[in-house]
Amino acid sequence: MSAEALFPRLDPEAFRSQAHQLADWMADYLRDLGHYRVQPTVTPGEIRGRIPPGPPEQGEAFERIMEDFERIIVPGLTHWGHPGFFGYFPANTSPASILAEMLTAALGAQCMSWNTSPAATELEQAMMEWLRRMLGLPEGFTGVIQDTASTATLVALITARDQAVRRSSGRAVDALTVYTSEEANSSVPKGARLAGIRPDHIRLIPTDAAAAMSVPALEAAIAADRVAGLVPCGVVSTVGTTGSTAIDPVRAIAEVCRREDLWLHVDAAFAGSAAILPEMRWILDGAEHADSLVFNPHKWLLVNFDCSAYFVRDPAALLRSFSASAEILKAAYDDAAVNFRDWGIQLGRRFRALKLWFVIRTYGVEGLRAMLREHIRLGKLFADWVDGEPGFERIGAAPLATVCFRLVPAGESELAGDLDRLNRDLLERLNATGKIFLTGTRLKGRYVLRLALGHLTTTEAHVREAWDLIRREASEL
Ligand code: PLP
């Protein structure tokens, strides 16, 4: 075939037909999601073994690629949107978000500067303002969309580091210390390391009985570091820990940070969405005094991954750490416009604001609140069932649709190892059914199972089925 014949050309009519087929596939998938196994049964290397080791020399037909997608890829997927997916944390999505994501791909806009896509920058500004109002953060807060909470926390820690170095008249990064709780997400100590903080200067502050950061322990750690001649630099508090959705006392931590002149970053990655409910706004109490805050609409606000909302009180501090220009980037409106490339790590940026706009407009704030309320109601219902069931024990307060529990059969050895093993076995049996998927974690030295709600498709009937299955499998252990 001639090079001319092989050259990829845009064929709008072929695209139209394929896009229609794809829309049908996606609609069927969303309709039938509950019939799939939540987790596949494949073993490592199995999917890879079905993919040719090298790329095709000649282009292939869309139909063949879709056939292979269904034959090779789908059987190897864990279906995060499945109504029986209760693992890790929700990473929910919705039709409005999926449609906007398709548009984003079609537009292919680069959102590094105002000039590279003015509408993308201005929609991002507007969406961050909508989210600020939805969360009830003060007017001084302004924001930018980051890919993940991990990145936002890294950005916060780099900004805190630079500010501390500037203020400590030339003390080296080597002297800086960072504080977070022992229940903080793994991305926090990782972010501190990436920001150049020595691993032995990252303090994992003990938590209280509710798995929230102990403020006296935080104060003691800061004081000890000062006595040792170190330079405390910042605190990362968590609103909704990954393990059990515990909520650090942000107001009290903010007071310590103000007194000690430390940067305060609030990681509300999962739980932050719940603050759009007036009755749950208390979870962000004190966050108005933070220097920065992140929450993930891609976890619990019907926006598909990735979309993290990062708010700062002083964008100038952010710009001091992240501004970088080059001749090719200079544009006529640089003085008058925001260039989001200077608000984070990446130069190239996706047009993520579009899906937020579609989602918030499609469901309205009241629609989103209704979804959150339902998930929280289902979480409470499940917690009540656990509380009422002999042989089960619930761990933690479960205010946010994630319920930690474990099997404690009467007469079973109280030795922690035995119960841990029993609960690991229960988890394995549950996940092997393919009907539901849960994850386990360790809380206060005990191995617990977690049921994390938050998907669009999950109803009370699904939670009831999950509970029946848990009791059935437990009775057979
Ligand atoms: N922080 C908390 C409290 C989380 O629960 C998670 C994810 O579970 C993260 C941070 C990391 O989020 P991301 O995947 O957006 O980096």
Side-chain angles (χ1 to χ4, degrees), residues 246-281:
I247 294 158
D248 285 350
V250 177
R251 182 169 294 284
I253 294 170
E255 176 55 29
V256 175
C257 290
R258 192 197 55 75
R259 225 172 36 233
E260 299 281 348
D261 198 15
L262 305 184
W263 186 281
L264 173 59
H265 174 64
V266 177
D267 174 6
F270 160 66
S273 298
I276 74 168
L277 295 171
E279 66 273 26
M280 292 304 295
R281 177 60 182 73

Side-chain angles (χ1 to χ4, degrees), residues 89 148-150 185 187 238 240-242 267 269-270 296 298-299 305 308:
F89 44 82
T148 58
S150 309
N185 185 263
S187 58
T238 311
T241 57
T242 311
D267 174 6
F270 160 66
N296 285 351
H298 74 224
K299 278 193 163 72
F305 189 83
S308 285

Side-chain angles (χ1 to χ4, degrees), residues 2-30:
S2 71
E4 171 63 19
L6 288 171
F7 190 84
R9 304 263 176 217
L10 178 64
D11 179 347
E13 293 317 313
F15 174 73
R16 188 187 312 283
S17 146
Q18 291 160 5
H20 285 154
Q21 289 175 54
L22 202 56
D24 282 342
W25 194 94
M26 292 189 292
D28 290 348
Y29 175 74
L30 293 176

Side-chain angles (χ1 to χ4, degrees), residues 181-183 206-214 241 244 246-248 443-444:
S181 96
E182 59 189 1
E183 287 293 325
T207 53
D208 61 18
M213 188 192 286
S214 154
T241 57
S244 66
I247 294 158
D248 285 350
L443 272 184
K444 298 281 169 195

